[in-house]
Amino acid sequence: MPLVAAAVCPHPPLIVPELAGAAAPELDELRAACDAAVAGLIAAGPEVIVLVGGGPATVSFDAADHGSLRPYGLDLRVRLWKVNCAGSERLPLSLTVGAWLVGRSRTELPRLARSVAADAAPARCVELGAALGAPAEPRTALLVTGDGSACRGPKSPGYDDPRAEAYDDGVARALAGADVEALLDLDPVLSTELKAAGRAPWQVLAGAVRAAGGDWRGELRHYSAPYGVAYFVSSWAPA
């Protein structure tokens, strides 16, 4: 698949306004940045959008599969693309939120999805990414969903870890500069200790861009940690 564009977004359930309720306005800026990143993917003229996110295992999903936000308090089924009897409810949270973000754009482009195991080694992530970035038809846009550290303060899910801010700042620089090598240098052990759910998906992105070849430019659209979890939104495109 020739890679024509890529974007990184986080996957907090609260990004869905109906789930956030009265707190929904707190993430308006994040939502707007994600919408802009998805719009950028579509503007690149892809023939298919491939979603990549973390999960308990490395799995390829069918276009008819869907996810649900019921475990988070909202009875909402989110379809990946098509709805038919062959689909099943099996998308992990990362891909459910990713599908929700793409659905907001109203695009009719075909969508596929791949999850990558949270503990996948960097070499395995590169291998998975290479299959997505290889030069073959159709033209592909990649939406990668993943959060940064969850240890930004005593009220964060992982409590406070003094290493978290420096880790997240490094990720932000890598996403801003389309720095493949910096993403591949992220330590899986440290990432796990900081509960950074995006490490493996970001390294799949790095593998895809490396396989696609050429120079790439990055844009960091958003970086915040409102609930003690780092959220990044970034757009990558061929230079």
Side-chain angles (χ1 to χ4, degrees), residues 21 48 55 95 99 109 112 125 138 163 167 181 216 227:
V48 62
L95 297 177
L109 284 169
L112 299 172
C125 296
R163 302 171 296 175
Y167 177 95
E181 298 309 318
W216 284 66
Y227 306 120

Side-chain angles (χ1 to χ4, degrees), residues 40-41 58 60 67 78 109 121 142 180 186 196 224 228:
L41 292 181
T58 298
S60 295
V78 181
L109 284 169
L142 200 61
V180 166
L186 292 174
S224 66

Side-chain angles (χ1 to χ4, degrees), residues 78-210:
V78 181
R79 66 187 178 98
L80 178 55
W81 182 38
K82 296 292 187 181
V83 176
N84 62 41
C85 59
S88 59
E89 186 178 298
R90 62 193 193 112
L91 297 182
L93 174 64
S94 62
L95 297 177
T96 298
V97 171
W100 180 83
L101 289 171
V102 175
R104 278 167 62 86
S105 72
R106 308 274 183 198
T107 182
E108 293 299 323
L109 284 169
R111 273 146 270 174
L112 299 172
R114 308 283 187 269
S115 65
V116 54
D119 61 353
R124 175 57 173 155
C125 296
V126 170
E127 179 184 346
L128 293 169
L132 299 175
E137 294 296 335
R139 289 167 55 87
T140 301
L142 200 61
L143 176 60
V144 178
T145 53
D147 299 345
S149 78
C151 300
R152 297 286 292 271
K155 294 184 178 180
S156 66
Y159 196 62
D160 187 47
D161 191 310
R163 302 171 296 175
E165 186 171 357
Y167 177 95
D168 292 328
D169 288 350
V171 172
R173 287 192 298 271
L175 293 177
D179 191 337
V180 166
E181 298 309 318
L183 291 181
L184 293 178
D185 282 343
L186 292 174
D187 180 12
V189 174
L190 175 61
S191 301
T192 298
E193 291 173 351
L194 296 177
K195 302 186 184 300
R199 189 275 306 173
W202 299 330
Q203 291 182 332
V204 172
L205 165 64
V209 169
R210 177 187 278 180

Side-chain angles (χ1 to χ4, degrees), residues 6-10 29-30 32-34 36-37 146 148 152 167-179 183 202 205 217-224 230-237:
V8 169
C9 292
E29 183 179 333
L30 174 62
C34 290
R152 297 286 292 271
Y167 177 95
D168 292 328
D169 288 350
V171 172
R173 287 192 298 271
L175 293 177
D179 191 337
L183 291 181
W202 299 330
L205 165 64
R217 65 180 185 274
E219 176 187 358
L220 187 64
R221 296 181 179 271
H222 183 92
Y223 171 28
S224 66
Y231 300 145
F232 310 96
V233 181
S234 178
S235 295
W236 287 23

